Amino acid sequence: MSGTILALALGFAQVALGLAGGLAVLTILRGPRAQDRVLGLDTFYVTGMLLFLVTGLRSGSLFFFEAACVIGVTGFVATVALAKFLLRGEVIE
Amino acid sequence: MTHLDAVPLWVALPAALLLVLGSGLTLLGAFGLARLQSFYDRLHAPTLGTSWGTAGIVLASVLLFSWLEGRPVLQELLIGVFVMLTTPVTLMLLGRASLHRDRAEGSAAVPPAGNARPADRGTAGADGARGAATPPAWP
């Protein structure tokens, strides 16, 4: 019973997060300006991180947590660097 | 699915609810990112995923792993705290970058920098000739 409920919820979460990642990729490809693409990349990072967490729940191992942590940190640094680049034309001056 | 069958119902139901809430909000945010019209509207949409989207999935993970491991597993909260601290920083920076670009192009969609802080006036006044003369608007 509880296994079925959890399996349904985890399946729904994986499908929803996959769709969200697809929409973020669509924004990266389509976005009319550069800032839209950076925003899409940030959304894609967050979605991928959440997908790793849900996959870790499904497999029952704690190792996916570390992958999700790394994805979160790299996503933050990537978005800040790209926004800085859009603002000034250089990342480090 | 062997490890999930052993979870009692009072743990499974809140965890499933939190999972559906979090992933549904993330999907809604990504949908808004793809559908909304202006960039400054789109900037708000993904924060659905980084506020309660992340919180729901992280809380479900804490709940399930705490029961599975038989001890409090709180390290997932680290991700939630980190995402909630960094998202305002990145999105404020991205919004300011976009505003700067729109003003530099003289776009009519954004208000001029007339009533901004004194530090902002330097970049808004020199439209075409932004060069080494003006100090940066953003430190």
Side-chain angles (χ1 to χ4, degrees):
Chain A
M1 178 66 183
S2 64
T4 315
I5 291 174
L6 275 178
L8 277 176
L10 284 170
F12 173 81
Q14 280 182 317
V15 169
L17 289 174
L19 272 177
L23 286 171
V25 169
L26 190 72
T27 311
I28 295 178
L29 294 178
R30 193 188 63 178
R33 304 203 61 203
Q35 50 260 38
D36 294 297
R37 295 174 206 266
V38 176
L39 188 60
L41 184 69
D42 188 55
T43 313
F44 186 61
Y45 264 114
V46 171
T47 313
M49 188 191 76
L50 293 181
L51 197 54
F52 263 74
L53 278 182
V54 172
T55 310
L57 271 182
R58 170 154 255 176
S59 72
S61 83
L62 276 171
F63 295 111
F64 284 92
F65 160 75
E66 282 143 34
C69 238
V70 170
I71 290 179
V73 173
T74 51
F76 168 62
V77 174
T79 314
V80 166
L82 283 170
K84 193 80 172 58
F85 178 74
L86 289 185
L87 195 64
R88 298 303 308 273
E90 298 175 28
V91 178
I92 299 169
E93 39 199 314
Chain B
M1 281 303 136
T2 51
H3 68 286
L4 290 182
D5 282 328
V7 177
L9 204 59
W10 63 271
V11 174
L13 269 181
L17 273 180
L18 283 169
L19 273 173
V20 170
L21 175 79
S23 53
L25 279 178
T26 311
L27 179 59
L28 271 182
F31 192 67
L33 175 73
R35 286 291 297 166
L36 284 176
Q37 290 303 314
S38 88
F39 173 75
Y40 301 99
D41 292 342
R42 281 195 287 270
L43 197 57
H44 294 278
T47 54
L48 276 182
T50 53
S51 54
W52 261 105
T54 306
I57 290 178
V58 161
L59 286 179
S61 178
V62 166
L63 204 59
L64 268 183
F65 273 126
S66 296
W67 199 88
L68 286 175
E69 302 273 315
R71 64 184 169 89
V73 178
L74 296 179
Q75 64 228 27
E76 267 93 356
L77 289 179
L78 196 67
I79 287 187
V81 170
F82 181 75
V83 166
M84 281 189 194
L85 283 182
T86 56
T87 304
V89 177
T90 55
L91 292 191
M92 275 298 289
L93 195 52
L94 197 57
R96 289 199 70 88
S98 170
L99 188 64
H100 177 75
R101 280 165 68 95
D102 280 346
R103 277 182 181 160
E105 291 172 357
S107 164
V110 294
N115 52 359
R117 301 178 307 178
D120 276 341
R121 290 193 183 154
T123 50
D127 269 337
R130 284 181 305 114
T134 53
W138 196 84

